[in-house]
Amino acid sequence: MDVSQYLEIFIDETAEHIQSLSDNIMALENEPEDHDVINEIFRAAHSLKGMAGTMGFKRMQHLTHDMENVFQEVRNDKIKVNGDIIDVLFQCLDAIEGYLNQIKETSDEGTNDNDAIIGALNGILNGNAAPAAVAPKEEKPQEEALPDASGHRKKYMEIELKDAEKESLKSAEESGRFIYGFTVYVQKECLLKAARAFLVFKAIEEYGEIIIYSPSSQDIEDEKFEQDFSFFAISDTQDAEKLLSSAKAVSEIEDVVGELVKYETLIESENKPQAAESEEEKQTAIVPSAAPVARAKEEKSKAAGGAAKGKTVNKPVANRTVRVDIEKLDALMNQVSELIIAKNSLVSISSSDAGDGTQSQSFRDQIEYLERITTSLHESVMKARMVPIESVVAKFPRMIRDLSRKLDKKMELFMTGEDTELDRTVVDQIGDPLQHLLRNSADHGLESAEVRKERGKPEVGSIRLNAFQEGNNVIIEVGDDGNGIDTEHVKEKAIERGLVTPEQAENLTQKEIIDFLFMPSFSMAKKITDVSGRGVGLDVVKSNIEALGGDVEVKSKLGEGSTFIVRLPLTLAIIQALLVSVHNELFAIALGSIVTIEDVPVSEIKYVQADEVINLRGTVIPLIRLNQILDIEEPDVPPESLTVVIVNKGEKQAGLVVDNLLGQQEIVIKSLGKFIRNSKIISGATILGDGEIALILDVNTLM
């Protein structure tokens, strides 16, 4: 029986069980005697075992079976939970997640038996002390290339060369050039593997040309590799150490193994006989075992029969949710978008004909009815796309626990507002930036135990993640009660790197100094670790959040802590906007960014350091003349008063000077496409009812 039709359901449900296990094991570490938590863990492990068996994933089934055995003994009070057991259980979760990732990519669980972890579980069952940490066993290929002194394998010797690739290598060697093989190992904590790979390639290409990639160059670019990739390069230089050291100099690269190789050596390596696959392995590679499915159906049938004969069973609670592929929702959203455009067109016709008396009342009634229906349909679709950010933040307590041990700092994560909802497309992309910020708080923010004691702070550092909705935005705050940002130190670093002169630095505000931290490769770490300090982090956070139409700002007080405030749009598809014109050009401004609209006499404009400002009810607000920013002609006759749209970005405000207000409208955001996406002032475009195009202004970038 082909069970591939159930693969997507299996992947979704396995991910949920892994998260449930992670949450409950964290809870168990704090309350080792809590039998409700123990029972929940047992049930999740049992469910995982059954699901893996049904799908024919034997290794995953074996591991979860041994986990289940341990918790059976814990339930029966024969084993007491301690920190070492918790560590092994988390190692189990990592291994299960490894199987799941392999299944996502290949529909197969791979060949890693995780013998060391299974041995540790059996050791717990036999009453032996569990090791503090178990190193996962690395998958071995059938024909293994020898490791170098570091213990890392030269996987480039395992690449199966095509005829054309062999010919390229052979002709290169015959022409007097040298062949190099490299295997690059990326740090496990690296979040931008493709970017690291690109920098390695760039470093190598200073000395030669890369001609063979494993996996393919496209797969490397798409990050479809685990922690290593291999390649062959040809060069005119015979200095292997020069190439190796240039590749190793790239940040977040754990190791690079490589050497100058001969063409004959590669061919000999490739022609070695491979270990024969067993018949069972061949069958497993082709089709997952169908027997567990048949047994499951038989057991289900027996259970149903038993229930029919009067056996008492617990009736499951009906699931009130339906899994919907995001692509189907996107298609539905596009149809709603077209409907809204059509509605706007009818409204436009209705408005233009309203004065001539020919339009019937019933037609106007139908237009109003269509408006109500499209608005309601839009809201319904948006609600279907909204998911709680809990799906992203649920993994963070485990991450903070691991960081606490790795950094040897006591810390605790407090999370609130996990039920705050965001558009699914935003949620999927916000995980990495938040992870960067939390790691930043743990490593840079919180002081060592000794320093905290000297400052009279609690021994356990606090890290906070708070999410809430504010108008059309969701705010996520990540803060800590640590050292805060030493702006003087940041200023010195900026001067040292030539970003500002000492004279310019004296006039910088605190915000301008902190903004240096968001520049690429600007790291304040005194020591490079596998947690941080390689100049990758806050620049990635800023670019990722801005790509979602959001922004990030920082509040910090030296000695008391820092808070990073991330502001994100609720949705990226349809918004309420104010349409304005600047010298006959049409623009849209998101209504959520607008505070108020003012008519300001030109005589009331003041100047601060040569910049135009207005004093609005005691608040000084800078003016942004859109015609200058957007390079649009100024009116022939200067007006006596200006129409100013007051917008905000967090707590800051600015006034956008426009010529005319055209009214509020629900607009569909259309992408500008790759040819003109570099203009960050324009975040997209929309089609109006009369067919005109209006560009959507990005208020955050303007400010």
Side-chain angles (χ1 to χ4, degrees):
M1 179 184 173
D2 180 15
V3 294
S4 60
Q5 59 186 311
Y6 306 119
L7 197 58
E8 287 187 9
I9 298 172
F10 170 80
I11 289 170
D12 284 344
E13 293 195 356
T14 300
E16 288 176 8
H17 283 305
I18 289 173
Q19 188 56 59
S20 170
L21 281 167
S22 179
D23 293 345
N24 283 300
I25 292 171
M26 286 281 292
L28 187 66
E29 185 170 33
N30 296 324
E31 297 288 340
E33 304 292 330
D34 191 329
H35 278 268
D36 288 339
V37 173
I38 292 167
N39 289 334
E40 194 61 43
I41 294 171
F42 179 83
R43 281 194 291 271
H46 182 75
S47 298
L48 270 178
K49 181 188 79 170
M51 288 161 52
T54 300
M55 296 297 294
F57 300 135
K58 298 290 186 184
R59 292 176 177 84
M60 189 172 175
Q61 181 187 16
H62 186 187
L63 179 60
T64 47
H65 174 72
D66 287 353
M67 264 186 86
E68 183 187 21
N69 287 344
V70 168
F71 274 96
Q72 181 65 48
E73 297 300 289
V74 173
R75 284 173 87 189
N76 296 334
D77 290 327
K78 292 182 180 177
I79 293 176
K80 296 293 180 186
V81 175
N82 58 34
D84 290 341
I85 290 176
I86 294 289
D87 285 341
V88 174
L89 292 173
F90 276 130
Q91 292 267 339
C92 290
L93 283 195
D94 291 341
I96 294 169
E97 198 160 8
Y99 284 136
L100 182 62
N101 290 334
Q102 183 77 12
I103 290 165
K104 284 179 184 176
E105 291 182 13
T106 65
S107 301
D108 182 67
E109 64 180 338
T111 58
N112 191 348
D113 290 316
N114 285 299
D115 291 335
I117 297 175
I118 288 172
L121 290 170
N122 289 326
I124 294 170
L125 287 170
N126 296 329
N128 301 330
V134 181
K137 180 183 171 186
E138 187 180 346
E139 287 192 40
K140 291 188 178 180
Q142 291 164 332
E143 183 63 40
E144 183 181 290
L146 292 173
D148 77 339
S150 69
H152 284 131
R153 292 211 322 274
K154 302 170 182 177
K155 292 188 179 181
Y156 50 86
M157 298 299 289
E158 300 162 11
I159 298 175
E160 291 184 19
L161 298 172
K162 297 172 185 171
D163 290 342
E165 293 170 340
K166 291 177 186 175
E167 193 58 41
S168 297
L169 292 170
K170 187 178 181 182
S171 61
E173 190 171 83
E174 287 174 351
S175 66
R177 305 189 79 188
F178 301 98
I179 303 171
Y180 289 93
F182 293 97
T183 299
V184 179
Y185 289 85
V186 183
Q187 287 184 0
K188 289 181 181 178
E189 293 79 11
C190 178
L191 294 172
L192 291 167
K193 296 188 292 186
R196 301 299 111 196
F198 170 76
L199 292 174
V200 170
F201 296 152
K202 197 173 177 186
I204 293 296
E205 284 168 350
E206 293 280 328
Y207 303 98
E209 176 189 354
I210 299 170
I211 57 172
I212 299 167
Y213 300 84
S214 177
S216 69
S217 58
Q218 186 60 52
D219 282 351
I220 294 173
E221 187 179 325
D222 295 340
E223 294 198 352
K224 291 181 180 175
F225 65 97
E226 290 299 319
Q227 298 307 130
D228 61 79
F229 57 90
S230 301
F231 58 91
F232 283 109
I234 52 176
S235 173
D236 293 324
T237 179
Q238 199 173 351
D239 189 347
E241 192 54 45
K242 188 181 287 184
L243 275 75
L244 271 172
S245 59
S246 66
K248 287 179 179 178
V250 175
S251 61
E252 294 194 293
I253 296 299
E254 184 178 306
D255 193 15
V256 182
V257 294
E259 61 188 340
L260 195 155
V261 292
K262 293 289 185 185
Y263 175 73
E264 285 181 9
T265 309
L266 292 174
I267 300 304
E268 285 171 12
S269 170
E270 193 178 51
N271 291 334
K272 283 182 184 176
Q274 299 291 310
E277 272 187 293
S278 69
E279 196 60 37
E280 182 185 349
E281 286 172 327
K282 287 179 183 175
Q283 292 296 326
T284 306
I286 299 167
V287 180
S289 170
V293 180
R295 283 199 300 274
K297 284 198 167 187
E298 186 182 340
E299 288 168 8
K300 190 174 180 181
S301 175
K302 285 178 183 175
K309 291 173 186 173
K311 183 179 173 181
T312 304
V313 291
N314 291 327
K315 186 179 178 181
V317 178
N319 196 340
R320 303 288 296 173
T321 61
V322 177
R323 295 184 193 276
V324 181
D325 191 307
I326 192 72
E327 288 184 5
K328 293 179 181 176
L329 278 178
D330 285 340
L332 183 57
M333 175 62 78
N334 285 334
Q335 291 163 18
V336 173
S337 301
E338 296 302 321
L339 183 59
I340 288 174
I341 291 169
K343 180 262 291 183
N344 288 343
S345 180
L346 285 172
V347 170
S348 179
I349 295 168
S350 169
S351 301
S352 61
D353 293 345
D356 61 10
T358 59
Q359 190 183 63
S360 67
Q361 180 63 40
S362 62
F363 177 69
R364 287 197 292 272
D365 290 344
Q366 288 302 312
I367 292 290
E368 290 176 6
Y369 177 66
L370 179 62
E371 278 200 87
R372 289 199 302 274
I373 291 294
T374 51
T375 301
S376 176
L377 181 58
H378 164 224
E379 288 174 356
S380 298
V381 174
M382 290 316 304
K383 284 176 183 173
R385 289 174 62 94
M386 302 293 271
V387 292
I389 65 165
E390 183 180 15
S391 58
V392 172
V393 304
K395 63 184 178 183
F396 293 147
R398 159 81 193 280
M399 184 187 82
I400 293 297
R401 173 197 181 272
D402 292 346
L403 285 174
S404 176
R405 296 188 165 215
K406 185 176 289 187
L407 299 169
D408 194 24
K409 293 180 184 177
K410 290 185 179 179
M411 60 185 76
E412 195 169 354
L413 175 63
F414 299 92
M415 297 198 303
T416 53
E418 301 99 315
D419 56 348
T420 304
E421 293 187 328
L422 263 173
D423 189 284
R424 173 64 187 268
T425 51
V426 180
V427 165
D428 286 346
Q429 297 174 64
I430 195 59
D432 283 353
L434 292 181
Q435 186 170 320
H436 270 302
L437 292 178
L438 287 167
R439 292 169 75 88
N440 187 70
S441 285
D443 195 16
H444 291 300
L446 297 180
E447 314 96 325
S448 64
E450 296 77 21
V451 174
R452 291 185 69 85
K453 189 175 180 181
E454 287 172 14
R455 294 178 174 176
K457 291 184 176 181
E459 185 182 10
V460 180
S462 296
I463 299 175
R464 303 174 306 280
L465 189 150
N466 178 33
F468 57 92
Q469 189 174 333
E470 186 180 82
N472 287 327
N473 293 303
V474 165
I475 313 297
I476 304 175
E477 297 176 339
V478 176
D480 60 72
D481 67 345
N483 187 60
I485 296 171
D486 187 342
T487 50
E488 287 301 314
H489 189 194
V490 176
K491 195 194 298 183
E492 289 168 13
K493 189 84 172 179
I495 295 169
E496 180 188 316
R497 290 193 52 190
L499 299 173
V500 288
T501 64
E503 294 74 24
Q504 290 171 328
E506 289 303 315
N507 296 320
L508 292 175
T509 64
Q510 186 187 37
K511 181 192 177 302
E512 288 170 335
I513 295 170
I514 290 174
D515 281 347
F516 285 126
L517 296 175
F518 290 98
M519 296 183 71
S521 303
F522 193 99
S523 177
M524 296 300 297
K526 295 183 177 67
K527 184 174 72 172
I528 292 175
T529 69
D530 57 358
V531 177
S532 64
R534 294 189 179 271
V536 177
L538 293 183
D539 61 316
V540 177
V541 170
K542 189 170 190 282
S543 59
N544 285 5
I545 289 170
E546 286 182 349
L548 294 171
D551 70 277
V552 58
E553 61 178 296
V554 188
K555 290 182 178 177
S556 180
K557 192 167 184 182
L558 191 60
E560 294 183 15
S562 304
T563 301
F564 288 78
I565 303 159
V566 177
R567 185 173 285 96
L568 295 163
L570 274 174
T571 177
L572 301 178
I574 300 172
I575 59 169
Q576 292 286 341
L578 174 69
L579 294 178
V580 300
S581 69
V582 181
H583 198 66
N584 300 325
E585 297 281 346
L586 298 178
F587 297 95
I589 304 168
L591 218 57
S593 302
I594 298 174
V595 179
T596 183
I597 298 168
E598 300 289 335
D599 192 55
V600 179
V602 173
S603 59
E604 291 186 8
I605 296 175
K606 309 296 181 188
Y607 291 87
V608 173
Q609 294 183 351
D611 291 328
E612 291 183 316
V613 298
I614 56 172
N615 188 330
L616 185 64
R617 292 179 282 280
T619 303
V620 176
I621 298 174
L623 288 183
I624 299 174
R625 290 194 180 254
L626 289 179
N627 62 321
Q628 294 175 5
I629 296 287
L630 300 167
D631 197 20
I632 297 172
E633 290 181 22
E634 294 190 22
D636 297 330
V637 181
E640 293 183 3
S641 64
L642 303 178
T643 302
V644 180
V645 180
I646 308 295
V647 293
N648 69 340
K649 174 188 176 185
E651 295 177 357
K652 302 178 190 67
Q653 293 186 349
L656 307 183
V657 180
V658 302
D659 290 347
N660 291 299
L661 305 174
L662 305 179
Q664 177 185 336
Q665 194 173 113
E666 190 173 48
I667 64 169
V668 179
I669 300 175
K670 297 285 188 182
S671 170
L672 290 173
K674 61 183 179 182
F675 294 109
I676 46 177
R677 65 184 173 193
N678 290 332
S679 176
K680 292 188 176 181
I681 293 174
I682 308 297
S683 61
T686 188
I687 304 169
L688 302 177
D690 57 2
E692 285 285 316
I693 301 292
L695 298 177
I696 302 166
L697 296 175
D698 187 325
V699 168
N700 290 339
T701 307
L702 275 170
M703 291 182 66

